[in-house]
Amino acid sequence: MRTDVRTAPQLRRDLERRGLDVSALGPVGVRPSLPKYISDLWERRHFIWMDSRHRITLQNSRNRLGNLWLILRPLFDAAMYFVIFGMILKADRGIDNFTAYIIIGVLMFRSTMQSLSQSPGTLRVGKPMIRAFSFPRAALPISAQLRESMQMVLTVVVMLAMIVVLPNHEIPRLSWLLVIPIFLMQCMLNLGVSLLMSRVGFILPDVSQVITVLSRVLMYGSGVIFPIDNYLTHPVAGAIIQANPIYQLLHMYRRVLMDGTAPTVASWVILAVWCVGILIIGFVFFWRGEATYGDEQR
Amino acid sequence: MATSSVEPRDGADAEAENAQASRWTAPESSPLTVAAHDLRVRYNVNRTDHSRKRGLIGLTPRTQRVSVGAVRGVSFEARSGEFIGIIGRNGSGKSTLLRVLAGLEAPNSGTVLTSAKPVLLGVSAALLPDLTGAQNVRLGALAMGLSPQQADDIFEDVVELSALGDAIDLPMRTYSSGMGARLKFAISLAADPEILMIDEALSTGDASFMERSRRAMDDLLERAGTVFLVNHAAQTIENMCSRAIWMERGHVVLDGDAVEVARKYRWFAHNLAQGNTSVANGLLMDARREGRDAQERDAQEDLTGFHRGQRTTTHPRRAPRHIRRGKDPGSNRADSAEAKTSNNLHDPSGP
């Protein structure tokens, strides 16, 4: 019988020995090199763009008000927090404009949480596409994130409008322009998180159960609805909070929007390290699993 | 032989001639497009006993993790211009094999080499059900790596092949399964794949679509493509393919000329359906032995260097069919007559 064949080069040699032309043959279902993968992704940019645009329209297509909900939802959220904290509880926790504080916190925190909680299911939801067409699978989390970011632009606009309209009114300042780079960094952070969590969720679907707990922890550890700056004096807790990218993110938004001053260099650096780091780790981690995403989940 | 007592019927002969007229014939020699070696796929799944055992044993967990072999050592080579049908009963590993060949699923062991990225057309993929057919066409084209310009160019062809008419602007969730399959088939062909794999997807189409899809596949084969067709209806394979692979419990039973293999399979399935399990088993054993012998003969030829260097076909034992579909029925007749003299070749669905 035939010689023992274990790898592609061996099979190639075996076929050649039998006088067959193997020049055109290459292995199938293997992951391409990282540069090739990135260029493949770039070739699919139209697909990513079209997919995310369609999904935005689709998710609201069964509602009567359709895409109006993209604006209405953050609007209602912000209004609700204003009514509860600003009018009923009249809480200020030592902050001049607690309404603005909490609106910025909740709306911006939620977008990163969306990436964290939705990304474990991305590959499961995209299964029909994975089964039907061959494309770099990273296109799916990237398209999901692109959609998320497009929605977030609307959320940011609503947020800015609300903190101007609601008392105590914030006045638009030049420093508000810094929202743009902070927003872009948040998008990068979200993309890194969703690439990472897509594969984690594919390997271990159970993580989506743990994420609700994790988001609760992050919510209290990032100063979303009440200030945690008092804890910064504690050496360990302070260091952890300082290193938390979401805390830094919200802190920077609030400084820019409420205090009218630029964030500190330390804030920029910590956030930038997180964004770039998570994005690279997430992308490489996702790429390494490329050949497995078509497998039957058992 | 277990079935040598059954006489071949004349009706089968005439029917075979009709079928021959539209069957695809592979070129005598052409380059390899797919080479698979010793593919094995196992699934680890939960198994739960449906019956509760009596006594204390009944209290032990009834669910355990078991390993199920779906594909158990499949090797073959395919050439361009070959139209290969894969037949076998439900659960014989046909679909799993296609998924592995297409690179969608990694085998536990074994190697697949292909000349191009295969396009697999399955029944399950619903694409995006809330998008209209037209939007799915564009999205699918872009997903396959076409530019927006190319996607526009192929759009009309896809709509025409799918024959959906005005329904193309309706959401895909409103489509019947046949309409969905038609659209997916049209999209898959639009990218002009070198290797196309079809998993039962066409069996939901109606007669007029079958004819159109057959023409489209012929075009693909003319352009030196390779087509794999999984279907549990052996008649379809017999009518369309040039070569057939019969799979049973993850193994290849027989690999060879479509008519020969499909008829043996049908006779086997017919006996099984009639409850003649022992006859069916005998047929299966015979076919398996025949398959093994053929493989060994191949290996022998390889070792002795038979036709080395000039041979590109992997099945020298089979009389080559030089003629294209329906051009030379005389030579086909000779072929099928020769086939008939070999054992147990009967048509269970004959008159």
Side-chain angles (χ1 to χ4, degrees), chain A residues 5-6 8 15 17-19 24-29 44 46 50 54-55 58 62 130 133-135 294-295 298, chain B residues 37 43-44 77 104-106 111-115 117 130 135 138 140 142-145 148 173 302 308 311:
Chain A
V5 178
R6 297 226 166 267
L15 292 170
R17 211 171 43 79
R18 287 161 47 204
L25 297 186
V28 72
R44 296 300 199 285
H46 303 290
M50 189 179 172
H54 277 318
R55 280 174 202 261
L58 282 184
R62 303 209 178 187
I130 293 181
F133 304 111
S134 76
F135 55 91
D295 286 7
R298 297 139 215 175
Chain B
H37 183 86
Y43 291 125
N44 288 318
E77 286 101 36
L104 289 175
E105 205 169 311
T111 315
V112 184
L113 295 176
T114 60
S115 59
K117 174 82 193 151
D130 284 326
Q135 285 167 325
R138 280 190 58 88
L142 295 179
M144 289 187 290
R173 71 183 130 85
D302 290 334
R308 173 173 291 179
R311 204 182 92 223

Side-chain angles (χ1 to χ4, degrees), chain A residues 116-127:
Chain A
L116 196 59
S117 61
Q118 287 183 358
S119 47
T122 310
L123 291 168
R124 189 172 38 78
V125 173
K127 186 129 221 173

